């Protein structure tokens, strides 16, 4: 019975990670909340990194055609200077530029920030901040498409994503807010935000493989971790598809309402 209860708890944590990773309500914040509710002691960040990698695989699956197009057209542009591939090549360059801020902060300060600000009270406050940010861009309808982006746009979105190193600040939400504030249309903002997620998540996952394998929690709870991994992959896939539909209809305000409600409940009761 104890083993089944443990599996159930990690199944829920995997589903929470998967559902909340794509949508702008903070996966890290929700994992902290549910760990508190389940009484699961946080020992490092190995679990978050492990299930986050499952989310990454789901994002790669959904955006596989965009990734393939960007890579092929960029290669053609570099080798033949075909003008048709210039826009895709520049898009990749802007993704690289936007990755730099969170990469620098993550390498030098990520662990410190994660440990120092991983309390439920912090999550309550940062969820309210996320709510305000989403509310600001709820009705924005930008005009910038993939080929109209600039270096300045990339830097601003990159800085916005870097803020999400703080638990409770949604990474997808921060990236989407930054993208829409610089005038990207909904489709481009969503694509840029999630293609930007790929190098950050991939880099973190690869660098932390030794940490995960050496974590006693991983060795002791391998089966629950795998259950959470599978749940996170499936939930991320369907949650991202759902978000695409929401972005198209312009219903982001509901995420703002949600973050306000959960943030207040966390501050009052956890």
């Amino acid at each position: 019975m104890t083993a089944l209860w443990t599996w159930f708890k990690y199944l829920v944590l995997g589903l929470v990670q998967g559902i909340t990773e794509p949508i702008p309500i903070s996966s890290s914040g929700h994992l902290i909340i549910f760990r508190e509710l389940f009484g699961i002691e946080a020992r490092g960040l190995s679990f978050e990194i492990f299930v986050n990698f499952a989310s990454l695989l789901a994002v790669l699956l959904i955006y596989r055609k965009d990734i393939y197009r960007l890579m092929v057209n960029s290669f053609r542009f570099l080798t033949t200077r075909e003008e048709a591939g210039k826009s895709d090549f520049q898009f990749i360059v802007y993704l690289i530029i936007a990755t730099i801020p969170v990469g620098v902060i993550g390498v030098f300060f990520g662990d410190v920030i994660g440990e120092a600000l991983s309390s439920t009270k912090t999550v309550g406050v940062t969820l309210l901040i996320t709510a305000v940010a989403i509310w600001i861009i709820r009705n924005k309808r930008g005009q910038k498409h993939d080929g109209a982006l600039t270096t300045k746009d990339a830097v601003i979105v990159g800085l916005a994503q870097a803020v999400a190193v703080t638990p409770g600040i949604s990474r997808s939400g921060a990236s989407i807010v930054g993208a829409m504030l610089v005038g990207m249309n909904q489709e481009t903002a969503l694509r840029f935000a999630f293609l930007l997620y790929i190098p950050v998540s991939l880099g973190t996952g690869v660098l932390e493989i030794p940490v995960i394998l050496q974590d006693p929690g991983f060795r002791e709870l391998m089966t629950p971790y795998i259950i959470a991994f599978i749940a996170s992959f499936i939930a991320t896939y369907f949650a991202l598809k759902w978000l695409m539909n929401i972005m198209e209809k312009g219903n982001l305000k509901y995420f703002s309402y949600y973050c306000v409600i959960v943030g207040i409940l966390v501050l009052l009761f956890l």
Side-chain angles (χ1 to χ4, degrees), residues 59-125:
V59 172
L60 287 171
L61 179 61
I62 289 175
Y63 282 103
R64 64 191 183 282
K65 292 181 180 178
D66 292 280
I67 295 169
Y68 178 77
R69 188 197 74 246
L70 288 169
M71 292 177 65
V72 170
N73 289 347
S74 295
F75 179 77
R76 286 177 181 168
F77 175 75
L78 288 172
T79 54
T80 66
R81 293 295 170 180
E82 287 184 13
E83 195 66 22
K86 184 177 181 180
S87 174
D88 285 333
F89 172 73
Q90 288 179 327
F91 196 89
I92 289 181
V93 171
Y94 294 143
L95 286 172
I96 294 171
I97 292 172
T99 301
I100 294 173
V102 73
V104 171
I105 292 176
V107 168
F108 291 104
F109 307 107
D111 290 341
V112 176
I113 294 173
E115 293 295 332
L117 300 177
S118 59
S119 70
T120 53
K121 296 301 182 186
T122 299
V123 171
V125 172

Side-chain angles (χ1 to χ4, degrees), residues 12 34 88 107 122 129 142-144 146 191 194 196 206 211 249-250:
V12 173
F34 274 83
D88 285 333
V107 168
T122 299
I129 294 172
Q143 300 299 318
K144 286 186 180 179
D146 291 16
R191 180 163 51 248
F194 281 98
L196 181 58
V206 171
V211 177
K249 295 179 179 178

Side-chain angles (χ1 to χ4, degrees), residues 161-208:
Q161 180 181 237
V163 175
V165 173
T166 307
I169 298 291
S170 167
R171 189 217 60 83
S172 63
S175 301
I176 291 170
V177 167
M180 296 189 73
L181 285 176
V182 299
M184 294 186 200
N185 61 41
Q186 289 94 323
E187 182 182 353
T188 297
L190 195 63
R191 180 163 51 248
F192 194 88
F194 281 98
L195 291 180
L196 181 58
Y197 166 74
I198 292 170
V200 175
S201 183
L202 185 61
T204 302
V206 171
L207 290 174
E208 296 295 332

Side-chain angles (χ1 to χ4, degrees), residues 10 46-47 50-51 215 217-218 221-229:
Y10 278 86
S46 61
F47 177 75
F50 189 66
V51 291
D215 184 351
F218 180 75
L221 299 167
M222 184 174 292
T223 299
Y225 270 44
I226 292 173
I227 291 172
F229 185 93

Side-chain angles (χ1 to χ4, degrees), residues 128 256-266:
L128 295 178
S256 181
Y257 299 155
Y258 174 85
C259 287
V260 168
I261 293 169
V262 175
I264 291 174
L265 289 175
V266 167

Side-chain angles (χ1 to χ4, degrees), residues 3 14 22 30 35 84-85 103 118 129-130 140-141 199-200 203 209 221 234 236 240 253 257-258 268:
H30 279 74
R35 273 183 150 168
S118 59
I129 294 172
T130 296
K140 282 194 171 293
R141 297 290 184 274
V200 175
I209 286 176
L221 299 167
I234 296 172
T236 298
L240 181 49
K253 62 184 179 182
Y257 299 155
Y258 174 85
L268 291 176

